Amino acid sequence: MQMTQDTPDLSAYLAADEVVDHHHPVVREVAGRLASQVADSYTYAQAAFEFVRDTIPHSQDSGDPRVTWRASDVLTQRTGICHAKAHALAALLRAEDIPTAFCYQKFEVVHGLVAVRFGGAWHRQDPRGNKPGVDARFSLDGEQLAFTLDPKSNEMDYLVLYAEPHPAVLSALRAARDRPHLWELLPTAL
C-alpha cells in the first residue's frame, strides 16, 4: 500500500500546534520520562506507543463520557477515543523529533491512527487500546493494527498521511458535548 504525504515538507510532520501541543509542560514531562528510560529513537517510539495504548483508556471501552482532542488534555485527563489517542502519541513522538503523520481508516465511522517515519519509510501504528479481539502492536516490520478491514463492507484505508488532524475529525471532537454526542458527529467518510 503506497501512502502519500499531504505535504512534501517533512518538517510539517514535526510541527506543534493547538492539537499536537508538544511544547506543553505535560507533554514534555511524559516525553522526558519515557526518553530517560530508553536508548534510542526506535525504543522511545515503541515506549511512547505502549504508554498511550496501555495507560490511556479508550473512552468507549471505559465508559468515560469526556471528549478530549488536545494532546496535553488527553495525557492529563487519561481518556480519549482513537483520534485523541493518536493526537497524544503524535505529540510525544514529535517532542522527540520523530516525524509523525495522521492517517485514517473507514469503518462505520472514520478511525484515526498515526504513521511514524523510520528508515525513510512510513509505518502505521494504532494506539487505540487493546481489548478482547483487539491486539494492536508497535511494529516497523508489518502492521499489527487494531482492526482488519472488510472491503465487502466498504471499509477502507485512506492513503493520505496528514501533517495535521483532518478538519472533519477535529470539528467533530471540538463540537461534541460528550462521547455519545461525538458518535453522532464523527464523519463516516473523509
Side-chain angles (χ1 to χ4, degrees):
M1 166 177 51
Q2 181 65 32
M3 311 237 358
T4 56
Q5 297 174 202
D6 74 333
T7 178
D9 182 2
L10 198 56
S11 69
Y13 299 91
L14 293 168
D17 59 24
E18 183 183 16
V19 178
V20 184
D21 56 345
H22 64 72
H23 297 302
H24 190 282
V26 169
V27 178
R28 297 299 319 153
E29 186 277 322
V30 173
R33 185 166 24 91
L34 293 171
S36 73
Q37 300 169 3
V38 298
D40 56 41
S41 60
Y42 172 81
T43 53
Y44 173 82
Q46 183 174 12
F49 170 85
E50 290 172 356
F51 177 84
V52 172
R53 181 194 66 190
D54 298 342
T55 71
I56 299 170
H58 188 286
S59 58
Q60 176 72 16
D61 296 347
S62 67
D64 192 327
R66 296 175 293 167
V67 175
T68 54
W69 53 268
R70 184 179 289 115
S72 58
D73 292 339
V74 175
L75 294 173
T76 300
Q77 296 180 37
R78 298 275 198 221
T79 192
I81 66 163
C82 58
H83 301 289
K85 292 180 69 160
H87 300 167
L89 180 56
L92 290 173
L93 294 171
R94 290 180 181 187
E96 292 295 317
D97 296 321
I98 299 171
T100 308
F102 297 99
C103 43
Y104 302 93
Q105 295 176 307
K106 179 189 180 304
F107 294 101
E108 289 181 17
V109 295
V110 173
H111 174 62
L113 50 157
V114 301
V116 296
R117 190 163 176 90
F118 278 101
W122 290 100
H123 307 272
R124 292 189 308 169
Q125 313 295 328
D126 192 342
R128 181 226 178 269
N130 290 340
K131 64 179 186 174
V134 176
D135 186 25
R137 297 182 185 267
F138 185 85
S139 176
L140 301 183
D141 185 29
E143 296 179 335
Q144 190 159 349
L145 305 178
F147 305 110
T148 303
L149 295 172
D150 178 10
K152 293 177 188 168
S153 299
N154 292 321
E155 296 174 355
M156 62 180 270
D157 288 312
Y158 288 103
L159 301 179
V160 176
L161 299 166
Y162 295 93
E164 299 175 355
H166 194 281
V169 170
L170 196 53
S171 175
L173 288 165
R174 286 179 168 160
R177 296 183 304 272
D178 55 24
R179 188 182 30 78
H181 184 228
L182 176 60
W183 289 148
E184 298 171 18
L185 301 177
L186 280 174
T188 56
L190 296 180

